[in-house]
């Protein structure tokens, strides 16, 4: 891979040559770009020697052409800014390009930038810096650190640049993004079907499996549309776009609107098959000693509807939570609903299914394939599902 290491003026710049060395050792081509202030901490000769390439640090007199930021942008698959000072973070967030590195940063697509912030704890905590970091992340810039520890100013706290080895790991994980440029839809959680203004029919789904799938898809580089029923879970990833819904009909409306724009969908939500025929707009009162009969009507089947909408080149993955005749029932659903894969859970397996942190599944493919994923965390199961259905 071709990686640009951007260095700004912080004391941690003395670790940047080590970062360059480690990236080269891992087999990557590296070029360095530095600000004037960075060169107060680390010399041009050091950076050129470790990278084996001329340093980019002057917009006009540096290495010839005044459009070098564009050719360097085209050359680099990833720009790692380490250390990233409050100043460079603020400049990029404000669209300022007044030197070689900030100009390169504005030319670079945000998703190809990784920043390792380093500064004093109070500077890091300042609302301006936090706002700027949030802005960059919202555009797809990735960050690693800062770490908590001893700082150059003699204090201790968050603000230390993470160690070069950790930056290398973060850099390489951003390069392995096989699903970049793909959009995926994920449904998660339960649905609540209203009886009256304070009561509903629901189920025990926690949403954990769906959230883990959204995270795994985003980690692999995909843009994810996560449509979720009520859950206590949160997710923070620049590529996960969350839509909160309550009922099956709301989930149906969101999912059918989004699916045509997606490469694929994984429907893990525990959708209520039925809803009360009527929903009172006030709290229903007890009627003497009589019992109460609730009439239920059927909800739309979202998975089956997407199966009908599916076009060539689109993928559709469903879940099947079964109690008996698991394989036969799951295979039936796979065919009936026009799916590419079905992920089968058995409620008979301990540690699998609703509410747990673990799961145990079998992934059946329309092509007759079968992959058994033994009991493990929902995060690991999610990664297995994503790698199976996207390979
Ligand atoms: N599903 C859906 N819309 C529904 C019901 C289910 O999209 N109204 C999806 C779930 O997200 C899951 C799959 O369908 O991916 C299977 O759900 P499940 O309840 O196991 O199957 P059903 O088709 O409802 O069949 P049955 O209740 O007969 O087992």
């Amino acid at each position: 891979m071709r990686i640009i290491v951007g260095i700004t003026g912080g004391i941690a710049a003395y670790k940047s040559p080590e970062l360059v060395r480690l990236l080269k050792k891992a087999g990557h081509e590296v070029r360095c770009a530095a600000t004037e202030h960075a060169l107060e901490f680390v010399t041009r000769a050091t950076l050129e020697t470790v990278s084996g390439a001329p340093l980019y640090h002057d917009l006009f007199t540096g290495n010839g052409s005044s459009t070098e930021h564009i050719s360097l942008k085209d050359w680099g698959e990833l720009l790692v800014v380490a250390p990233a000072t409050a100043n460079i973070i603020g400049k990029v967030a404000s669209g300022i390009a007044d030197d070689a590195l900030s100009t390169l940063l504005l030319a670079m697509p945000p998703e190809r930038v990784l920043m390792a912030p380093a500064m004093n704890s109070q500077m890091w905590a300042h609302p301006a810096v936090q706002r700027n970091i949030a802005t960059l992340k919202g555009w797809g810039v990735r960050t690693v650190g800062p770490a908590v520890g001893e700082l150059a100013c003699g204090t201790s706290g968050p603000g230390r640049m993470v160690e070069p080895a950790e930056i290398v790991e973060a850099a390489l994980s951003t390069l392995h993004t096989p699903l970049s440029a793909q959009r995926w839809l994920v449904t998660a959680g339960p649905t609540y079907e209203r009886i009256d203004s304070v009561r509903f029919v629901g189920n025990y789904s926690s949403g954990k499996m769906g959230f883990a799938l959204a995270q795994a898809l985003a980690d692999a580089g995909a843009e994810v549309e996560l449509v979720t029923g009520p859950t206590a879970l949160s997710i923070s990833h620049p590529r996960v776009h969350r839509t909160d819904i309550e009922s099956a009909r709301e989930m149906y409306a969101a999912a059918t609107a989004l699916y045509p724009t997606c490469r694929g969908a994984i429907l893990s939500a525990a959708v209520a098959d039925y809803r009360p025929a009527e929903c009172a707009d006030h709290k229903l009162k007890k009627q003497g000693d009589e019992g109460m009969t609730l009439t239920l009507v059927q909800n739309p089947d979202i998975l089956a509807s997407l199966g009908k909408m599916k076009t060539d080149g689109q993928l559709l993955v469903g879940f099947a939570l079964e109690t008996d005749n698991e394989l036969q029932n799951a295979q039936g659903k796979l065919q009936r609903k026009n799916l590419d894969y079905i992920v089968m859970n058995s409620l008979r397996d301990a540690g699998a299914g609703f509410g747990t942190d673990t799961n145990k599944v079998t992934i059946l493919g329309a092509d007759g394939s079968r992959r058994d994923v033994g009991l493990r965390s929902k995060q690991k199961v999610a990664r297995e599902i994503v790698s199976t259905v996207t390979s």
Side-chain angles (χ1 to χ4, degrees):
M1 296 288 174
R2 295 180 305 275
I3 301 173
I4 306 162
V5 174
I7 303 130
T8 64
I11 180 67
Y14 83 90
K15 293 183 181 170
S16 304
E18 175 65 1
L19 171 63
V20 175
R21 197 186 67 80
L22 291 176
L23 287 169
K24 297 263 297 181
K25 204 172 142 200
H28 305 285
E29 266 187 83
V30 182
R31 290 197 197 166
C32 294
T35 62
E36 282 306 317
H37 288 171
L39 297 180
E40 298 287 332
F41 296 94
V42 60
T43 67
R44 166 194 272 267
T46 307
L47 295 172
E48 292 190 338
T49 305
V50 287
S51 67
L55 176 71
Y56 174 59
H57 84 105
D58 192 314
L59 263 177
F60 302 104
T61 58
N63 307 304
S65 151
S66 60
T67 56
E68 199 181 341
H69 59 291
I70 301 299
S71 43
L72 195 54
K73 179 266 297 181
D74 292 338
W75 177 86
E77 288 162 86
L78 181 70
L79 169 51
V80 183
V81 186
T85 55
N87 188 44
I88 196 77
I89 291 165
K91 273 195 204 175
V92 181
S94 314
I96 295 172
D98 64 352
D99 65 3
L101 182 59
S102 54
T103 307
L104 174 64
L105 272 159
L106 281 206
M108 202 79 180
E111 62 278 8
R112 274 163 51 196
V113 176
L114 172 71
M115 288 199 172
M119 67 198 75
N120 162 275
S121 306
Q122 277 168 344
M123 291 173 75
W124 174 248
H126 194 285
V129 174
Q130 288 304 310
R131 179 202 59 196
N132 292 338
I133 278 284
T135 300
L136 296 186
K137 284 187 176 177
W139 293 338
V141 169
R142 274 161 279 200
T143 59
V144 55
V148 176
E150 224 175 274
L151 299 169
C153 50
T155 59
S156 184
R160 251 179 99 84
M161 186 174 87
V162 296
E163 291 304 319
E166 203 179 321
I167 300 174
V168 171
E169 210 174 292
L172 301 191
S173 75
T174 63
L175 286 171
H176 299 140
T177 54
L179 300 186
S180 56
Q182 288 192 15
R183 223 158 108 94
W184 278 76
L185 167 69
V186 175
T187 66
T191 62
Y192 286 1
E193 312 297 327
R194 286 181 183 222
I195 298 170
D196 64 15
S197 59
V198 294
R199 304 180 181 94
F200 60 84
V201 177
N203 61 66
Y204 289 121
S205 168
S206 62
K208 283 176 188 163
M209 196 62 239
F211 275 60
L213 284 163
Q215 182 77 39
L217 282 163
D219 286 345
E223 291 290 327
V224 182
E225 294 292 343
L226 173 63
V227 178
T228 177
T231 165
L233 301 177
S234 62
I235 190 162
S236 156
H237 193 294
R239 283 193 297 279
V240 177
H241 315 285
R242 173 176 178 165
T243 305
D244 287 279
I245 55 83
E246 190 179 282
S247 67
R249 284 189 295 176
E250 287 166 4
M251 184 172 274
Y252 173 83
T256 50
L258 288 164
Y259 188 51
T261 69
C262 293
R263 158 83 172 117
I266 308 182
L267 303 200
S268 69
V271 185
D273 286 327
Y274 298 93
R275 67 177 183 276
E278 281 169 41
C279 164
D281 56 7
H282 56 279
K283 181 171 172 248
L284 290 172
K285 287 294 209 189
K286 229 182 355 235
Q287 301 292 325
D289 297 333
E290 299 273 299
M292 182 191 173
T293 304
L294 200 58
T295 305
L296 300 173
V297 294
Q298 218 171 79
N299 270 326
D301 187 321
I302 305 165
L303 188 60
S305 306
L306 299 194
K308 288 192 185 120
M309 290 167 69
K310 191 170 78 167
T311 57
D312 281 352
Q314 273 190 309
L315 291 167
L316 186 58
V317 183
F319 270 68
L321 187 61
E322 305 291 347
T323 46
D324 41 32
N325 278 338
E326 289 98 332
L327 212 54
Q328 214 180 329
N329 285 338
Q331 260 154 353
K333 275 180 203 169
L334 179 78
Q335 280 165 9
R336 243 187 355 263
K337 300 192 186 186
N338 190 24
L339 312 182
D340 298 281
Y341 292 93
I342 194 151
V343 182
M344 190 181 89
N345 286 129
S346 171
L347 271 180
R348 287 196 287 193
D349 288 326
F354 275 21
T356 56
D357 288 326
T358 52
N359 211 353
K360 179 180 172 202
V361 302
T362 298
I363 308 166
L364 303 173
D367 56 0
S369 61
R370 173 185 174 144
R371 182 161 172 190
D372 292 295
V373 183
L375 190 69
R376 59 199 71 177
S377 73
K378 284 188 171 167
Q379 282 71 24
K380 285 196 179 141
V381 172
R383 286 200 286 271
E384 296 276 349
I385 293 170
V386 167
S387 84
T388 304
V389 305
T390 61
S391 61

